[in-house]
Amino acid sequence: MTTQELPTLLTSRLRLRTVAEDDVAHVRDLYSRPEVTEFIGTADWVETTREQALSRIARYRAAAGTATGIWLIETLEEHQPAGFALLKPIPWSRHLTAPDDGTAPEPPQDLEIGWHLHPDTWGQGYATESARALLAHARRHRLDHLVAVTHRENLASQRVATRIGMTHRGTTDRYYDTTCELFTIEL
Ligand SMILES: CC(C)(COP(=O)(O)OP(=O)(O)OC[C@H]1O[C@@H](n2cnc3c(N)ncnc32)[C@H](O)[C@@H]1OP(=O)(O)O)[C@@H](O)C(=O)NCCC(=O)NCCS
């Protein structure tokens, strides 16, 4: 793998770092759980195979940008992987990017902050702690505006968004070809 490494981000209990092929067992376990994937994407899905986990690791590594990326979260004390924290361009819904004559430029993408935590770690504030580390990272890189989107019923994720200081803006259909709850923050 030749993709660039993300800067390691430290919090009081967690380390956020680049995911590696060695993390395959964790990634496979995480995304094979319906309670994790329930509110990620619009279709019912799980990924159960090692090949799917390796392919996801490659995609996550390739998502590394100048200030953006997808970080693996691990506990500082036990080095236990706990899921992922995301800071990345969010895809526009097709109706915003497919002009009839094909000439209009695609609008610049918004940046999305997100969190996928392992159920064994839920309820300990890890998503909030990781997200705050990403906010600080975003501020250091002079990013000025972030969005988060959640499924209408994903109250835990909405709670994380508001706890880190995001404002609920109602629903939007601007992203992911679906309708979701929109949260925004100015940094
Ligand atoms: C959403 C998720 C990231 C939360 O992770 P976490 O580490 O448990 O989050 P935290 O402990 O930092 O905070 C969770 C908050 O949600 C609250 N919460 C949890 N379940 C809840 C529920 N069913 N209804 C309302 N609030 C809920 C918790 O009480 C906590 O708020 P509080 O600290 O003010 O009490 C985790 O459940 C997850 O990864 N889910 C699967 C993937 C996913 O849905 N990601 C988000 C996609 S938008």
Side-chain angles (χ1 to χ4, degrees):
M1 285 193 254
T2 55
T3 44
Q4 78 188 67
E5 296 288 310
L6 297 169
T8 296
L9 307 176
L10 296 177
T11 72
S12 55
R13 295 179 296 170
L14 304 170
R15 174 186 294 108
L16 277 60
R17 63 161 171 84
T18 308
V19 64
E21 284 190 358
D22 285 353
D23 299 306
V24 64
H26 172 69
V27 174
R28 185 177 181 181
D29 179 20
L30 183 67
Y31 293 105
S32 69
R33 293 171 178 256
E35 69 269 42
V36 171
T37 61
E38 179 181 10
F39 295 129
I40 302 173
T42 48
D44 282 350
W45 66 282
V46 286
E47 290 178 355
T48 55
T49 70
R50 178 181 163 81
E51 288 64 36
Q52 286 172 318
L54 286 171
S55 153
R56 185 168 282 275
I57 289 169
R59 289 202 306 281
Y60 280 13
R61 290 180 63 91
T66 313
T68 52
I70 300 176
W71 280 258
L72 180 107
I73 303 164
E74 68 182 4
T75 57
L76 271 182
E77 276 190 7
E78 300 94 2
H79 295 267
Q80 192 64 38
F84 288 94
L86 305 78
L87 187 63
K88 64 172 193 59
I90 182 170
W92 293 116
S93 291
R94 267 191 300 271
H95 70 89
L96 294 174
T97 59
D100 291 343
D101 61 3
T103 54
E106 191 163 308
Q109 279 184 301
D110 288 336
L111 292 180
E112 164 187 35
I113 185 169
W115 29 79
H116 300 167
L117 274 289
H118 192 286
D120 289 352
T121 73
W122 288 359
Q124 301 182 65
Y126 284 175
T128 304
E129 195 166 316
S130 306
R132 287 186 173 136
L134 288 194
L135 288 185
H137 171 79
R139 285 193 183 98
R140 283 194 296 275
H141 285 267
R142 303 273 183 270
L143 304 181
D144 55 6
H145 176 80
L146 299 179
V147 307
V149 292
T150 81
H151 188 283
R152 178 172 46 87
E153 293 168 13
N154 196 349
L155 301 182
S157 190
Q158 292 167 22
R159 185 82 193 113
V160 173
T162 49
R163 263 189 100 180
I164 64 169
M166 302 189 85
T167 304
H168 186 213
R169 304 283 181 193
T171 59
T172 182
D173 63 358
R174 285 153 50 93
Y175 310 108
Y176 289 115
D177 294 318
T178 188
T179 300
C180 32
E181 301 299 321
L182 172 66
F183 295 80
T184 65
I185 188 168
E186 307 304 320
L187 298 173

